[in-house]
Amino acid sequence: MDYETILVSKEGKVGIITLNRPQALNALSTKMVHELTAALDEFGKDDEVRSVVVAGNDRAFSAGADIKEMADMTAVQMAMGEHFFALWNKVGRFPKPLVGAITGFALGGGLELAMSLDVLVAADTAQLGQPEINIGVIPGGGGTQRLTRAVGKSKAMEMILSDKRIGAEEAKTLGLVSRVVPKEVCVDEAKKVAAEIATKSPVAIKLAKMAINKAFEMGLSDGLDFERELFYMLFASEDAKEGMHAFMDKRKPEFRGR
Ligand code: DAK
């Protein structure tokens, strides 16, 4: 497929999507989110692709929803799905692991997009925030929920109510990103994380992602039961047999996603 607002490529088993509206700091237009979710759909169907990197450019991962596009929309247009908001949940529900390379600004919907991904590698120059309050709205793509779960109430309140932005090191301390690297190597590091994940059993990876995401929705004892069911289920996979026998045979496992 031809895309106008994103770049799409593959390196081995890793799919790569680069947001590409540098003139607008990768503001999320409806076109861009349509293309992003279409590319994810393609990677979802492609058995060769086992993990996906989502990146921006040095200045911005994304500065949030395109305010120029959103400014004059009506609530009814939004509710009737004329805006990208209708597609938003597709990213959080994507079944394969998503690794974000967070360079520069990750603001508003940009941070919400990042928080819908699974592993975040941040550049030392990254700036993360929820500045929606400055334009008279609140986060609408998950910020009040995902940010609060990630960093706790007081910090989330400060970030959302007063547009307090945080840098990469603070984001790491808070558990919002998993590591901080120099900006020059951020995308490469994200690709390495994705490539490492891509060597594992796709079946186990899919269920692990599902179980971790359930931790945000279930109480502990239901979550533990859910985890155990998935664990038992994995004993029906060829990959689990392959993994354990490869260990005993002292060889590298060959996972086939079955
Ligand atoms: N939208 C449109 N254009 C943007 C933009 C944005 N969010 N951010 C930057 N740009 C454009 C600027 O207008 C400028 O374009 P020109 O004027 O050159 O044509 C160009 O990018 C460069 O920006 P600046 O000149 O402003 O650059 P600075 O370095 O001075 O400032 C900045 C960088 C990131 C601090 C600043 O641009 C800024 O504050 N941007 C706005 C950030 C923001 O408020 N973001 C939140 C938007 S609201 C939902 C899902 C998602 C959302 C809501 C609901 N549902 C599922 C329901 C999300 C909402 C949002 O994200």
Coordinates of all heavy atoms in Angstrom, one line a residue, residues 12-105:
G12 N 13.8 -7.9 8.7 CA 13.6 -9.3 9.2 C 12.2 -9.5 9.7 O 11.2 -9.3 8.9
K13 N 12.0 -9.8 11.0 CA 10.7 -10.1 11.5 C 10.1 -8.9 12.1 O 9.1 -9.0 12.8 CB 10.8 -11.2 12.5 CG 11.3 -12.6 11.9 CD 11.5 -13.6 13.0 CE 11.9 -14.9 12.4 NZ 12.5 -15.8 13.3
V14 N 10.7 -7.7 12.0 CA 10.2 -6.5 12.6 C 9.6 -5.6 11.6 O 10.2 -5.2 10.6 CB 11.4 -5.8 13.4 CG1 10.9 -4.5 14.0 CG2 12.0 -6.7 14.4
G15 N 8.4 -5.2 11.9 CA 7.7 -4.2 11.0 C 8.1 -2.8 11.6 O 8.2 -2.7 12.8
I16 N 8.2 -1.8 10.7 CA 8.6 -0.5 11.2 C 7.6 0.5 10.6 O 7.4 0.6 9.4 CB 10.0 -0.1 10.8 CG1 11.0 -1.2 11.5 CG2 10.4 1.3 11.3 CD1 12.2 -1.3 10.8
I17 N 7.0 1.3 11.5 CA 6.1 2.4 11.0 C 6.7 3.7 11.6 O 6.9 3.9 12.8 CB 4.7 2.2 11.6 CG1 4.1 0.9 11.1 CG2 3.8 3.4 11.2 CD1 2.7 0.6 11.7
T18 N 7.0 4.6 10.6 CA 7.6 5.9 11.0 C 6.5 7.0 10.7 O 6.1 7.2 9.6 CB 8.9 6.2 10.3 OG1 9.8 5.1 10.5 CG2 9.6 7.5 10.8
L19 N 6.1 7.7 11.7 CA 5.2 8.8 11.5 C 5.9 9.9 10.8 O 7.1 10.2 11.1 CB 4.7 9.4 12.9 CG 4.1 8.3 13.8 CD1 3.6 9.0 15.1 CD2 2.9 7.6 13.2
N20 N 5.3 10.4 9.7 CA 6.1 11.3 8.8 C 5.3 12.5 8.4 O 5.0 12.7 7.2 CB 6.5 10.4 7.6 CG 7.6 11.1 6.8 OD1 8.4 11.9 7.3 ND2 7.5 10.9 5.5
R21 N 5.0 13.4 9.3 CA 4.5 14.7 9.0 C 5.4 15.7 9.8 O 5.0 16.4 10.7 CB 3.1 14.9 9.5 CG 2.0 14.1 8.8 CD 0.7 14.5 9.3 NE 0.2 15.7 8.8 CZ -0.6 16.6 9.5 NH1 -1.0 16.3 10.7 NH2 -1.0 17.7 8.9
P22 N 6.7 15.8 9.4 CA 7.7 16.5 10.2 C 7.3 18.0 10.3 O 7.5 18.7 11.3 CB 9.0 16.4 9.5 CG 8.7 15.8 8.1 CD 7.4 15.1 8.3
Q23 N 6.7 18.6 9.2 CA 6.3 20.0 9.2 C 5.3 20.3 10.3 O 5.2 21.4 10.8 CB 5.8 20.4 7.8 CG 4.5 19.9 7.4 CD 4.4 18.4 7.1 OE1 5.4 17.7 7.1 NE2 3.2 17.9 6.8
A24 N 4.6 19.3 10.8 CA 3.5 19.5 11.8 C 3.9 18.8 13.1 O 3.0 18.5 13.9 CB 2.2 19.1 11.3
L25 N 5.2 18.5 13.3 CA 5.6 17.7 14.5 C 4.9 16.4 14.6 O 4.5 16.0 15.8 CB 5.6 18.6 15.7 CG 6.4 19.9 15.7 CD1 6.3 20.6 17.0 CD2 7.8 19.7 15.4
N26 N 4.6 15.8 13.5 CA 3.8 14.5 13.5 C 2.5 14.6 14.2 O 2.0 13.7 14.9 CB 4.7 13.4 14.1 CG 5.7 12.9 13.2 OD1 5.5 13.0 11.9 ND2 6.8 12.3 13.7
A27 N 1.8 15.8 14.1 CA 0.5 15.9 14.6 C -0.4 14.8 14.0 O -0.3 14.6 12.8 CB -0.1 17.3 14.3
L28 N -1.2 14.2 14.8 CA -2.0 13.1 14.3 C -3.3 13.6 13.5 O -4.2 14.1 14.1 CB -2.5 12.3 15.5 CG -1.4 11.7 16.4 CD1 -1.9 11.2 17.7 CD2 -0.7 10.5 15.6
S29 N -3.2 13.5 12.2 CA -4.4 13.9 11.4 C -5.2 12.6 11.2 O -4.7 11.5 11.4 CB -3.9 14.4 10.1 OG -3.2 13.4 9.4
T30 N -6.4 12.8 10.7 CA -7.3 11.6 10.5 C -6.6 10.7 9.5 O -6.5 9.5 9.6 CB -8.7 12.1 10.0 OG1 -9.2 12.8 11.1 CG2 -9.5 10.9 9.6
K31 N -6.0 11.3 8.4 CA -5.3 10.5 7.4 C -4.2 9.7 8.0 O -4.0 8.5 7.7 CB -4.7 11.5 6.3 CG -3.9 10.8 5.3 CD -4.4 11.2 3.9 CE -3.9 10.2 2.9 NZ -4.8 9.8 1.9
M32 N -3.4 10.4 8.9 CA -2.3 9.6 9.5 C -2.8 8.5 10.4 O -2.2 7.4 10.3 CB -1.4 10.6 10.4 CG -0.2 9.9 10.8 SD 0.7 10.9 12.1 CE 2.0 11.6 11.1
V33 N -3.8 8.7 11.1 CA -4.3 7.6 12.0 C -4.9 6.5 11.1 O -4.8 5.3 11.4 CB -5.2 8.0 13.1 CG1 -5.7 6.9 14.0 CG2 -4.4 9.0 14.0
H34 N -5.6 6.8 10.0 CA -6.1 5.8 9.1 C -4.9 5.0 8.6 O -5.0 3.8 8.5 CB -6.8 6.5 7.9 CG -8.3 6.7 8.2 ND1 -9.2 5.7 7.9 CD2 -9.0 7.7 8.6 CE1 -10.4 6.1 8.2 NE2 -10.3 7.3 8.7
E35 N -3.9 5.7 8.2 CA -2.7 5.0 7.6 C -2.0 4.1 8.6 O -1.6 3.0 8.4 CB -1.8 6.0 6.9 CG -2.5 6.6 5.7 CD -1.5 7.4 4.8 OE1 -0.4 7.8 5.2 OE2 -1.9 7.7 3.7
L36 N -1.9 4.7 9.8 CA -1.2 3.9 10.9 C -2.0 2.6 11.2 O -1.4 1.6 11.3 CB -1.1 4.8 12.2 CG -0.7 4.2 13.5 CD1 0.7 3.7 13.4 CD2 -0.9 5.2 14.6
T37 N -3.3 2.7 11.3 CA -4.1 1.5 11.7 C -4.1 0.6 10.5 O -4.1 -0.6 10.6 CB -5.5 1.9 12.2 OG1 -6.1 2.8 11.2 CG2 -5.4 2.6 13.5
A38 N -4.1 1.1 9.2 CA -4.1 0.2 8.1 C -2.7 -0.5 8.0 O -2.7 -1.7 7.7 CB -4.3 1.1 6.8
A39 N -1.6 0.2 8.3 CA -0.3 -0.5 8.3 C -0.3 -1.5 9.4 O 0.3 -2.6 9.2 CB 0.8 0.5 8.5
L40 N -0.9 -1.2 10.6 CA -0.9 -2.2 11.6 C -1.7 -3.5 11.2 O -1.3 -4.6 11.4 CB -1.5 -1.6 12.9 CG -0.6 -0.7 13.7 CD1 -1.4 -0.1 14.9 CD2 0.7 -1.4 14.2
D41 N -2.9 -3.2 10.5 CA -3.7 -4.3 10.0 C -2.8 -5.2 9.1 O -2.9 -6.4 9.2 CB -4.9 -3.8 9.2 CG -6.0 -3.3 10.2 OD1 -6.0 -3.7 11.4 OD2 -6.9 -2.6 9.7
E42 N -2.1 -4.6 8.2 CA -1.2 -5.4 7.3 C -0.2 -6.2 8.1 O 0.0 -7.4 7.8 CB -0.5 -4.4 6.3 CG -1.3 -3.8 5.3 CD -2.0 -4.8 4.4 OE1 -1.3 -5.7 3.9 OE2 -3.3 -4.7 4.2
F43 N 0.5 -5.5 9.0 CA 1.5 -6.3 9.8 C 0.8 -7.4 10.7 O 1.4 -8.4 10.9 CB 2.3 -5.3 10.7 CG 3.3 -4.5 10.0 CD1 3.6 -3.2 10.4 CD2 4.0 -5.1 8.9 CE1 4.6 -2.5 9.7 CE2 5.0 -4.3 8.3 CZ 5.3 -3.0 8.7
G44 N -0.4 -7.1 11.1 CA -1.1 -8.1 11.9 C -1.4 -9.4 11.1 O -1.3 -10.5 11.6
K45 N -1.6 -9.2 9.8 CA -1.9 -10.3 8.9 C -0.7 -11.0 8.4 O -0.7 -12.1 7.9 CB -2.7 -9.9 7.7 CG -4.2 -9.6 8.1 CD -5.0 -9.3 6.8 CE -5.4 -7.8 6.8 NZ -5.7 -7.2 5.6
D46 N 0.5 -10.3 8.5 CA 1.7 -10.8 7.9 C 2.4 -11.8 8.9 O 3.0 -11.3 9.9 CB 2.6 -9.6 7.6 CG 3.9 -10.0 6.9 OD1 4.3 -11.2 7.0 OD2 4.5 -9.1 6.2
D47 N 2.4 -13.1 8.7 CA 3.0 -14.0 9.6 C 4.5 -13.9 9.8 O 5.0 -14.3 10.8 CB 2.7 -15.5 9.1 CG 1.3 -15.9 9.4 OD1 0.6 -15.2 10.2 OD2 0.8 -16.8 8.7
E48 N 5.1 -13.2 8.8 CA 6.6 -13.0 9.0 C 6.9 -12.0 10.0 O 7.9 -11.9 10.6 CB 7.1 -12.4 7.6 CG 7.6 -13.5 6.7 CD 8.1 -12.8 5.4 OE1 8.5 -11.6 5.4 OE2 8.2 -13.5 4.4
V49 N 5.9 -11.1 10.2 CA 6.2 -9.9 11.2 C 5.7 -10.4 12.6 O 4.6 -10.7 12.8 CB 5.4 -8.7 10.7 CG1 5.4 -7.6 11.8 CG2 5.9 -8.2 9.4
R50 N 6.7 -10.3 13.5 CA 6.4 -10.7 14.9 C 6.3 -9.6 15.9 O 5.9 -9.8 17.0 CB 7.4 -11.8 15.3 CG 7.3 -13.0 14.4 CD 8.0 -14.2 15.0 NE 7.8 -15.4 14.2 CZ 8.4 -16.5 14.5 NH1 9.2 -16.6 15.5 NH2 8.2 -17.6 13.7
S51 N 6.9 -8.4 15.5 CA 6.8 -7.3 16.4 C 6.9 -6.0 15.5 O 7.4 -6.1 14.4 CB 7.9 -7.3 17.5 OG 9.1 -7.4 16.8
V52 N 6.4 -4.9 16.1 CA 6.4 -3.7 15.3 C 7.0 -2.5 16.1 O 6.6 -2.3 17.2 CB 4.9 -3.4 14.8 CG1 4.9 -2.1 14.0 CG2 4.3 -4.5 14.0
V53 N 7.8 -1.7 15.4 CA 8.3 -0.5 16.0 C 7.5 0.7 15.5 O 7.2 0.7 14.3 CB 9.8 -0.3 15.6 CG1 10.3 1.1 16.0 CG2 10.7 -1.3 16.3
V54 N 7.1 1.6 16.4 CA 6.5 2.8 15.9 C 7.4 4.0 16.3 O 7.7 4.1 17.5 CB 5.1 3.0 16.6 CG1 4.4 4.3 16.1 CG2 4.2 1.8 16.2
A55 N 7.8 4.8 15.4 CA 8.8 5.8 15.6 C 8.3 7.2 15.0 O 7.3 7.2 14.2 CB 10.1 5.5 15.0
G56 N 8.9 8.2 15.5 CA 8.7 9.5 14.8 C 10.0 10.0 14.3 O 10.7 9.3 13.6
N57 N 10.3 11.3 14.5 CA 11.6 11.8 14.0 C 12.3 12.5 15.2 O 11.7 12.5 16.3 CB 11.4 12.8 12.9 CG 10.5 13.9 13.2 OD1 10.6 14.6 14.2 ND2 9.5 14.1 12.4
D58 N 13.5 13.0 15.0 CA 14.3 13.6 16.1 C 13.5 14.7 16.9 O 13.6 14.7 18.1 CB 15.5 14.3 15.6 CG 16.6 13.2 15.4 OD1 16.4 12.0 15.7 OD2 17.8 13.6 15.0
R59 N 12.7 15.5 16.2 CA 12.0 16.6 16.9 C 10.7 16.1 17.6 O 10.4 16.7 18.7 CB 11.7 17.7 15.9 CG 12.4 19.0 16.2 CD 11.9 20.1 15.5 NE 11.3 21.1 16.4 CZ 10.5 22.0 15.9 NH1 10.1 22.1 14.7 NH2 10.0 22.9 16.8
A60 N 10.1 15.1 17.0 CA 8.8 14.8 17.6 C 8.4 13.3 17.3 O 8.5 12.9 16.2 CB 7.7 15.7 17.1
F61 N 8.1 12.6 18.4 CA 7.3 11.4 18.2 C 6.0 11.8 17.6 O 5.6 11.5 16.5 CB 7.2 10.6 19.5 CG 6.3 9.4 19.4 CD1 6.8 8.2 18.7 CD2 5.1 9.3 19.9 CE1 6.0 7.1 18.6 CE2 4.3 8.2 19.8 CZ 4.7 7.1 19.1
S62 N 5.3 12.6 18.4 CA 4.0 13.2 17.9 C 3.6 14.3 18.9 O 3.6 14.1 20.1 CB 2.9 12.2 17.7 OG 1.7 12.9 17.5
A63 N 3.2 15.5 18.4 CA 2.8 16.6 19.2 C 1.2 16.5 19.5 O 0.6 17.5 19.9 CB 3.1 17.9 18.6
G64 N 0.6 15.3 19.2 CA -0.8 15.2 19.6 C -1.7 15.3 18.4 O -1.3 15.4 17.2
A65 N -3.0 15.3 18.7 CA -4.0 15.4 17.6 C -3.8 16.7 16.8 O -3.3 17.7 17.4 CB -5.4 15.4 18.2
D66 N -4.1 16.6 15.6 CA -3.9 17.8 14.7 C -5.0 18.9 15.1 O -6.1 18.7 14.8 CB -4.0 17.5 13.2 CG -3.7 18.6 12.3 OD1 -4.0 19.8 12.7 OD2 -3.0 18.4 11.3
I67 N -4.5 19.9 15.8 CA -5.4 20.9 16.4 C -6.1 21.6 15.3 O -7.3 22.0 15.3 CB -4.7 21.9 17.3 CG1 -4.1 21.1 18.5 CG2 -5.6 23.0 17.9 CD1 -3.1 21.9 19.3
K68 N -5.4 21.9 14.2 CA -6.0 22.6 13.0 C -7.1 21.9 12.4 O -8.1 22.5 12.0 CB -4.9 22.9 12.0 CG -3.8 23.9 12.5 CD -2.6 23.9 11.7 CE -1.4 24.7 12.4 NZ -0.1 24.5 11.7
E69 N -7.0 20.6 12.4 CA -8.1 19.7 11.8 C -9.3 19.6 12.8 O -10.4 19.5 12.4 CB -7.5 18.3 11.5 CG -8.5 17.4 10.9 CD -7.9 16.0 10.7 OE1 -7.9 15.2 11.7 OE2 -7.4 15.7 9.7
M70 N -8.9 19.6 14.1 CA -9.9 19.3 15.1 C -10.7 20.5 15.5 O -11.9 20.4 16.0 CB -9.1 18.7 16.3 CG -9.9 18.2 17.5 SD -8.8 17.3 18.7 CE -7.7 18.7 19.2
A71 N -10.1 21.7 15.3 CA -10.7 22.9 16.0 C -12.1 23.2 15.7 O -12.9 23.5 16.6 CB -9.8 24.1 15.5
D72 N -12.6 23.0 14.4 CA -13.9 23.3 14.1 C -14.9 22.1 13.9 O -16.0 22.2 13.4 CB -13.9 24.2 12.8 CG -13.2 25.5 13.0 OD1 -13.5 26.1 14.1 OD2 -12.4 25.9 12.2
M73 N -14.4 21.0 14.4 CA -15.3 19.8 14.4 C -16.4 19.9 15.4 O -16.2 20.5 16.5 CB -14.5 18.6 14.6 CG -13.6 18.2 13.4 SD -13.1 16.5 13.4 CE -14.5 15.7 12.7
T74 N -17.5 19.3 15.1 CA -18.6 19.3 16.1 C -18.6 17.9 16.8 O -18.0 17.0 16.3 CB -20.0 19.4 15.4 OG1 -20.2 18.2 14.6 CG2 -20.0 20.7 14.5
A75 N -19.2 18.0 18.0 CA -19.3 16.7 18.8 C -20.0 15.6 18.0 O -19.6 14.4 18.0 CB -20.1 17.0 20.1
V76 N -21.0 16.0 17.2 CA -21.7 15.0 16.4 C -20.8 14.4 15.3 O -20.8 13.2 15.1 CB -23.0 15.6 15.8 CG1 -23.7 14.6 14.8 CG2 -24.0 16.1 16.9
Q77 N -20.0 15.2 14.6 CA -19.1 14.7 13.6 C -18.2 13.7 14.3 O -17.9 12.6 13.7 CB -18.3 15.8 13.0 CG -19.0 16.6 12.0 CD -18.2 17.8 11.5 OE1 -17.6 18.5 12.3 NE2 -18.1 17.9 10.2
M78 N -17.7 14.0 15.5 CA -16.8 13.1 16.2 C -17.5 11.8 16.5 O -17.0 10.7 16.3 CB -16.2 13.7 17.4 CG -15.2 14.8 17.1 SD -14.6 15.5 18.7 CE -13.6 16.8 18.0
A79 N -18.7 11.9 17.1 CA -19.4 10.8 17.6 C -19.8 9.9 16.4 O -20.0 8.7 16.5 CB -20.7 11.2 18.3
M80 N -20.0 10.5 15.2 CA -20.4 9.7 14.0 C -19.2 9.1 13.3 O -19.3 8.6 12.2 CB -21.2 10.6 13.0 CG -22.6 11.1 13.6 SD -23.6 9.7 14.2 CE -24.2 9.0 12.7
G81 N -18.0 9.3 13.9 CA -16.8 8.6 13.4 C -16.1 9.3 12.2 O -15.4 8.7 11.5
E82 N -16.4 10.6 12.1 CA -15.7 11.3 11.0 C -14.3 11.6 11.3 O -13.5 12.1 10.5 CB -16.5 12.6 10.6 CG -17.7 12.4 9.9 CD -18.5 13.6 9.6 OE1 -17.9 14.7 9.4 OE2 -19.8 13.6 9.7
H83 N -13.9 11.5 12.5 CA -12.5 11.8 13.0 C -11.8 10.5 13.3 O -12.4 9.5 13.4 CB -12.6 12.7 14.2 CG -11.4 13.4 14.5 ND1 -10.5 13.0 15.4 CD2 -10.9 14.6 14.0 CE1 -9.5 13.9 15.5 NE2 -9.7 14.8 14.7
F84 N -10.5 10.6 13.4 CA -9.7 9.4 13.7 C -10.0 8.8 15.0 O -9.7 7.7 15.3 CB -8.2 9.7 13.6 CG -7.6 10.4 14.7 CD1 -7.4 9.9 16.0 CD2 -7.1 11.8 14.5 CE1 -6.8 10.5 17.0 CE2 -6.5 12.5 15.6 CZ -6.4 11.8 16.8
F85 N -10.7 9.6 15.9 CA -11.0 9.0 17.2 C -11.7 7.7 17.1 O -11.6 6.8 18.0 CB -11.9 10.0 17.9 CG -11.3 11.4 18.2 CD1 -12.1 12.5 18.6 CD2 -9.9 11.5 18.2 CE1 -11.5 13.7 18.8 CE2 -9.3 12.7 18.4 CZ -10.1 13.8 18.8
A86 N -12.5 7.5 16.0 CA -13.2 6.2 15.8 C -12.2 5.0 15.7 O -12.6 3.9 16.0 CB -14.1 6.3 14.6
L87 N -11.0 5.3 15.3 CA -10.1 4.2 15.0 C -9.1 4.0 16.2 O -8.3 3.1 16.2 CB -9.2 4.6 13.8 CG -9.9 4.6 12.4 CD1 -8.9 5.2 11.4 CD2 -10.4 3.2 12.0
W88 N -9.2 4.9 17.1 CA -8.1 5.0 18.1 C -7.9 3.7 18.9 O -6.7 3.3 19.1 CB -8.5 6.1 19.1 CG -7.5 6.5 20.0 CD1 -7.4 6.4 21.4 CD2 -6.2 7.2 19.7 NE1 -6.3 6.9 21.9 CE2 -5.5 7.5 20.9 CE3 -5.7 7.7 18.5 CZ2 -4.3 8.1 20.9 CZ3 -4.5 8.3 18.5 CH2 -3.8 8.5 19.7
N89 N -8.9 3.0 19.3 CA -8.7 1.8 20.1 C -8.0 0.6 19.3 O -7.5 -0.3 20.0 CB -10.1 1.2 20.6 CG -10.6 2.2 21.7 OD1 -9.9 3.0 22.2 ND2 -11.9 2.1 21.9
K90 N -7.9 0.8 18.0 CA -7.3 -0.3 17.2 C -5.8 -0.5 17.6 O -5.3 -1.6 17.6 CB -7.3 0.0 15.7 CG -8.7 -0.2 15.2 CD -8.7 -0.1 13.7 CE -8.6 -1.5 13.0 NZ -8.9 -1.5 11.6
V91 N -5.2 0.6 18.0 CA -3.7 0.5 18.4 C -3.6 -0.3 19.7 O -2.8 -1.3 19.7 CB -3.1 1.9 18.5 CG1 -1.6 1.8 18.9 CG2 -3.3 2.7 17.3
G92 N -4.4 0.1 20.7 CA -4.3 -0.6 22.0 C -4.7 -2.1 21.9 O -4.3 -2.9 22.7
R93 N -5.5 -2.4 20.8 CA -6.0 -3.8 20.7 C -5.1 -4.7 19.7 O -5.4 -5.8 19.5 CB -7.4 -3.8 20.3 CG -8.3 -3.3 21.3 CD -9.8 -3.5 21.0 NE -10.6 -2.9 22.0 CZ -11.6 -2.2 21.8 NH1 -12.0 -2.0 20.6 NH2 -12.3 -1.7 22.8
F94 N -4.1 -4.0 19.2 CA -3.2 -4.8 18.2 C -2.6 -5.9 19.0 O -2.0 -5.8 20.0 CB -2.2 -3.8 17.7 CG -1.3 -4.4 16.6 CD1 -1.9 -4.7 15.4 CD2 0.0 -4.7 16.8 CE1 -1.1 -5.3 14.3 CE2 0.8 -5.2 15.8 CZ 0.3 -5.5 14.6
P95 N -2.7 -7.2 18.4 CA -2.2 -8.3 19.2 C -0.7 -8.5 19.3 O -0.2 -9.2 20.2 CB -2.9 -9.5 18.5 CG -3.2 -9.0 17.1 CD -3.4 -7.5 17.2
K96 N 0.0 -8.0 18.3 CA 1.5 -8.3 18.4 C 2.2 -7.2 19.2 O 1.6 -6.1 19.3 CB 2.1 -8.3 16.9 CG 1.5 -9.5 16.1 CD 2.1 -9.5 14.7 CE 1.4 -10.6 13.9 NZ 1.9 -10.7 12.5
P97 N 3.4 -7.4 19.7 CA 4.0 -6.4 20.5 C 4.4 -5.2 19.7 O 4.9 -5.3 18.6 CB 5.3 -7.1 21.0 CG 5.1 -8.6 20.7 CD 4.1 -8.7 19.6
L98 N 4.2 -4.0 20.3 CA 4.5 -2.7 19.7 C 5.6 -2.1 20.5 O 5.4 -1.9 21.8 CB 3.3 -1.9 19.7 CG 2.1 -2.4 18.8 CD1 0.8 -1.6 19.1 CD2 2.5 -2.2 17.3
V99 N 6.7 -1.7 19.9 CA 7.7 -1.0 20.6 C 7.8 0.5 20.1 O 7.9 0.7 18.9 CB 9.1 -1.7 20.3 CG1 10.2 -1.0 21.1 CG2 9.0 -3.2 20.8
G100 N 7.7 1.4 21.0 CA 7.8 2.8 20.6 C 9.2 3.4 20.8 O 9.8 3.1 21.8
A101 N 9.6 4.2 19.8 CA 10.8 4.9 19.9 C 10.4 6.4 20.1 O 9.9 7.0 19.2 CB 11.6 4.8 18.6
I102 N 10.6 6.8 21.4 CA 10.0 8.2 21.7 C 11.1 9.2 21.7 O 11.9 9.4 22.6 CB 9.4 8.1 23.1 CG1 8.4 6.9 23.3 CG2 8.6 9.4 23.4 CD1 7.3 6.8 22.2
T103 N 11.2 9.9 20.6 CA 12.1 11.0 20.4 C 11.4 12.3 20.4 O 10.3 12.4 19.9 CB 12.8 10.8 19.0 OG1 11.8 10.5 18.1 CG2 13.9 9.7 19.0
G104 N 12.0 13.3 21.0 CA 11.4 14.7 21.0 C 10.0 14.7 21.7 O 9.8 14.0 22.7
F105 N 9.1 15.5 21.2 CA 7.8 15.7 21.8 C 6.9 14.4 21.7 O 6.8 13.9 20.6 CB 7.1 16.8 21.1 CG 7.7 18.2 21.3 CD1 8.2 18.8 20.1 CD2 7.8 18.8 22.5 CE1 8.8 20.1 20.2 CE2 8.4 20.0 22.6 CZ 8.9 20.7 21.5

